[in-house]
Amino acid sequence: MAASEVFDWVADQLVERTMLTRLEARGTVRLVVRDAGLNPETVAAFQMRIVLTRLMPSALEKRRIEGAKELCATIADTLDSFEGSTPREDAYDVFERLEGRGSGGTGGDE
Amino acid sequence: MKVVGLAGLVLFMLAALVIGLRLLWLGRKRRLPELLMGIALFAGGFLAFALGTLGKLLLEASDETRLTLTVLGLSLEYIGNVAMVLFAWRVFHARKLWAMSVATIFVVGACTMLTVEIVSGELLRYSDTAPITGPWVPLALGVRALAPAWLALECFRFHASLRKRLRLGLAKRLVVQRVALWGVAMLGVALGYGVSIALRLVYGTGLAAHPWAVTLVSSLLLVTAAALALAFFPPAAYRRRMERTS
């Protein structure tokens, strides 16, 4: 299953900046993204930023990675380059549109 | 009892007509999910029910007229169910092989069951009160029930994950509730099929021969209509309440 570009980027950053192997890093990101109720295939930059600041630090601390909070903040800052890209359509986007007014758009109340 | 029965059916048909047409209109801009759900509601919810009811009302008509109406209504119902399954695949599991396989098997199964129902002549049992003589009607109802059942399951599963997003501020409560409402609506349809299957297995006859069952199914359809209406046309007060609690 192809993960989103943002997912791949964050996993690669973890491999680069920690002792985690590629498999461990991807597994960790996948678990945390799922804990946030998100889909690794469609997760967008603004969603990943929340995941990195709210959930990822404790997940990394459990894996005995020091300075997890700072590391996550640093990786979150690198996500700016993904802001312009259009994420894959998620089921949420479809249900957001499924109303009489025919509204569009993505995302939540962030 | 009779009023509840009629109210449920009429309101369901009305909701399916209005929402189905609106979705077809929204789907014209190459938006496949809207198009599929529009087909499901308009063809499977409104047209199929309208033709099916007409077939039942024309008991005195010739077998040929009833057969034509029933074949047409049943075909539209199958089209609606196929659209539902394609919606579930496209929206919840677009890139997953297992979901594509399930959708393909369903389409093949639906075509097979429609053919078997027509060839066996058992489809006339939908428009009269005679008992069935073979397994095809309950089997076909079972196949058709899988579509709303799968969609309901996916909606509830997705709703559970959206509640996690909600806690992180990554989802709007209105949309989260909308997913649950679609799940309730589809569950109502699936349970309606369940009642019909049980009747055919126990008595051999359909809804028309059991007024209590008509009331039960109509109540389920009333729930479906209400859930669809609330999901699709949320009143301003409801919308405000959802926004306040986000």
Side-chain angles (χ1 to χ4, degrees), chain A residues 5 17 22 25 34 47 57 59 68-69 72 74 82-83 86 88 103 108:
Chain A
E5 278 182 19
R17 295 165 190 259
R22 187 168 184 273
R34 287 212 180 277
Q47 295 168 325
K69 204 172 174 182
C72 288
T74 307
F82 291 94
E83 287 304 332
T86 313
R88 278 185 210 156
S103 64

Side-chain angles (χ1 to χ4, degrees), chain A residues 37 92 95-97 99-100, chain B residues 22 34 172 178 232 239:
Chain A
Y92 181 88
F95 279 94
E96 191 173 30
R97 293 199 312 256
E99 68 165 314
Chain B
R22 179 69 182 143
E34 281 89 335
K172 294 174 187 163
R178 183 177 297 154
F232 205 73
R239 187 185 286 276

